Amino acid sequence: MAPTRRASPWRCLQRCHKRGRQRLRRFLVPIVLAAWLAITAGVGGLQGVGATSLWPSPAESKAPAATETAGALTNAASLAAGPEPVELDGRSLFRVWSSNEFSAEQRVEPVNRILQQAVLSRRPVQLTIRERNNLPVLSLDGQVLLTVTRRDAPDGLDPFTQAERWKAELEQAIEQGRRERQPDHVRRSLALAAGWLLLAWLGQLALGWLARNLAHRHREPASEDPARLMRVEGLHFLMRSGVLALKIGLWIAAIALAAQPFPAARIGFHRVVTALSDSLASPFLPLGERSYSVLDVVVLLGLFVLLTRLVGVLQGLLRSRVLRYTGINVGAQEAVAFVVRYGLLFIGTLVLLQLWGLDLSSLTLFAGVLGVGVGLGLQGITKNFVSGLVIIFEQPIRVGDFVEIGDLQGTVQRVNLRSTEVLTLDRIAIIVPNSEFLESRVVNWSHGSTTSRLQVPLGVAYGSDPQEVRQALCEACADVDGILREPEPQVFFKGFGDNALNFKLLIWINQPLRQYEIISALNYRIEAVLRHYGITIPFPQRTLHLGEAALQLQLPPELSRALQERISEVEIKPGAPATDRPPS
């Protein structure tokens, strides 16, 4: 049994630090939200003792608004607007319509302010109903709240009866607002908010586990089929988008429920939602006779993304369920799928713009600017776009063809409008602009027919029998998988070289993608067969013949001078052997 290796303290510390960061990221959102709710709840509790409001209303930062008895006439647009809600602590109580002299917003604003002040005060309040001009008037401690008009009362209901109902709702709302600011209620609400946040966190973990499980279940092995890859990518995108939307919705619902028991948090959440909705709904993009808001643009972009994904799914189904069984080649299938894809995108975009309410005649200026841009700055894109159309409809290259352009060899995987994706023999995807396929010389090994001929040059030593060489090469071809039997391999005697008898072997294949593999296997087999027949492959050699005449060497001046200096420095010692003496 091999001894177990103990992890070093540094590794243990790193592992604990990593786990701690992961757990902190998981608990960070609930902790921050719980702290925010605790602060707002504490401030909300202080408000019951007379503190100022944490979320000041716009009416408190301005001068006191005029009451109904001293108001001014508003414009016709304000009078024709819809009803406005009377709110207290972020809760909508009832809605008030505009009157003959005041808009609904002007009527509601002082009511909301007076009610909020009454909730924050400790003294008892008294709501009364008085009659003025044959209409009921609601008052709070002598301050006029509003006059209930016939328009405020539903059909078949008397204004005085409506005033009694509103009085009961206001008394109940004021009592509930004061009760929610008591310390006991704050403590219970904090526990309830923590529970909601904990449930949201557990729901997020469950959604993450479900997403990983679904992704693992729908994981498919690596495939080169573009339709299957597109279908799998679209499915994964829909799953990720759905899980993300569920997580966002879960946290929004949890925050709303956690903030509900706290008046200050509820008011803040309500005002944030109102501000976001107002900013998103405010128009900022005028097109034609209409102006569009941020929400309109977001909806349009979302619909366009959904249209793109839907068209991609339909294109994948068209490839796999319809075109595959038609019997046409892969290139024609891709051309049909390409035309259907962009045709549906074009028609769907027009339909979306019409449903969005955009008048297409307002895009004439944009189309003119786009035409100028295409003529000046987008020449390269336009050239590749037109080249893509030519490739798709003329089909000099098609999906699945083995092509050679320059020093690049590979299989065409996808033909797009601007570029073509080529997968090399090294399994590397190369994006080639479409114009290069029309402006440069391209070798298409699969065009028309996949059958092609390969040439293998060979040289054997002088003295070898040419017929025996021919027999050996044909025998080697018969044992290699991938070489066609028809047409038969051919051996040509090219001529007499300096060192060898030169031959050329011609073979036929119908798998251009395997040409290097086939040539390598053939070379292995040729070497083994020639060794079996005793035929040698010579190597380049040169023979130099020298006559009996003296050979004179001419050395460079620097080398000759150095030799002379060396010879002059050598001293011959007396009695030294003759072999030690320098040559004379």
Side-chain angles (χ1 to χ4, degrees), residues 123-154:
R123 64 178 185 273
V125 295
Q126 183 179 6
L127 281 166
T128 58
I129 300 177
R130 294 181 300 174
E131 182 179 354
R132 180 182 298 175
N133 298 330
N134 296 325
L135 291 176
V137 178
L138 281 172
S139 300
L140 178 65
D141 292 340
Q143 288 183 303
V144 176
L145 290 179
L146 79 160
T147 301
V148 182
T149 64
R150 291 180 176 83
R151 192 180 182 187
D152 294 329

Side-chain angles (χ1 to χ4, degrees), residues 356-376:
W356 196 52
L358 179 63
D359 186 8
L360 297 182
S361 61
S362 61
L363 299 179
T364 53
L365 179 61
F366 175 75
V369 174
L370 181 61
V372 174
V374 169
L376 295 179

Side-chain angles (χ1 to χ4, degrees), residues 126-322:
Q126 183 179 6
L127 281 166
T128 58
I129 300 177
R130 294 181 300 174
E131 182 179 354
R132 180 182 298 175
N133 298 330
N134 296 325
L135 291 176
V137 178
L138 281 172
S139 300
L140 178 65
D141 292 340
Q143 288 183 303
V144 176
L145 290 179
L146 79 160
T147 301
V148 182
T149 64
R150 291 180 176 83
R151 192 180 182 187
D152 294 329
D155 295 338
L157 191 65
D158 185 67
F160 287 92
T161 306
Q162 182 70 11
E164 292 291 342
R165 291 184 178 181
W166 283 0
K167 176 186 175 183
E169 291 182 14
L170 292 176
E171 290 176 348
Q172 183 180 359
I174 293 174
E175 182 65 25
Q176 183 179 0
R178 291 182 172 181
R179 186 171 59 252
E180 288 177 347
R181 286 169 170 79
Q182 298 300 321
D184 294 340
H185 181 272
V186 172
R187 286 192 291 268
R188 290 194 301 269
S189 301
L190 281 176
L192 181 62
W196 284 118
L197 296 178
L198 179 61
L199 287 178
W201 178 67
L202 294 176
Q204 179 181 353
L205 294 181
L207 288 175
W209 175 84
L210 179 63
R212 290 191 297 270
N213 192 16
L214 290 177
H216 180 74
R217 180 176 299 177
H218 291 85
R219 183 180 301 171
E220 295 187 6
S223 174
E224 299 180 2
D225 187 4
R228 176 173 295 181
L229 290 177
M230 185 173 296
R231 186 168 59 251
V232 172
E233 291 177 1
L235 182 61
H236 287 176
F237 173 79
L238 291 177
M239 286 194 301
R240 290 194 300 268
S241 302
V243 171
L244 180 61
L246 288 177
K247 288 182 179 180
I248 294 176
L250 179 65
W251 277 109
I252 291 177
I255 293 174
L257 292 173
Q260 192 66 22
F262 306 102
R266 189 169 58 246
I267 293 173
F269 185 79
H270 175 73
R271 291 184 177 175
V272 168
V273 173
T274 303
L276 287 177
S277 61
D278 292 342
S279 60
L280 292 177
S282 58
F284 79 102
L285 181 63
L287 287 177
E289 299 179 355
R290 289 187 56 183
S291 296
Y292 299 92
S293 63
V294 178
L295 187 60
D296 294 333
V297 176
V298 171
V299 170
L300 179 63
L301 293 178
L303 291 176
F304 185 75
V305 171
L306 182 62
L307 172 66
T308 305
R309 293 292 178 177
L310 181 61
V311 170
V313 173
L314 291 177
Q315 185 185 22
L317 293 176
L318 180 65
R319 286 197 186 102
S320 59
R321 303 299 175 87
V322 179

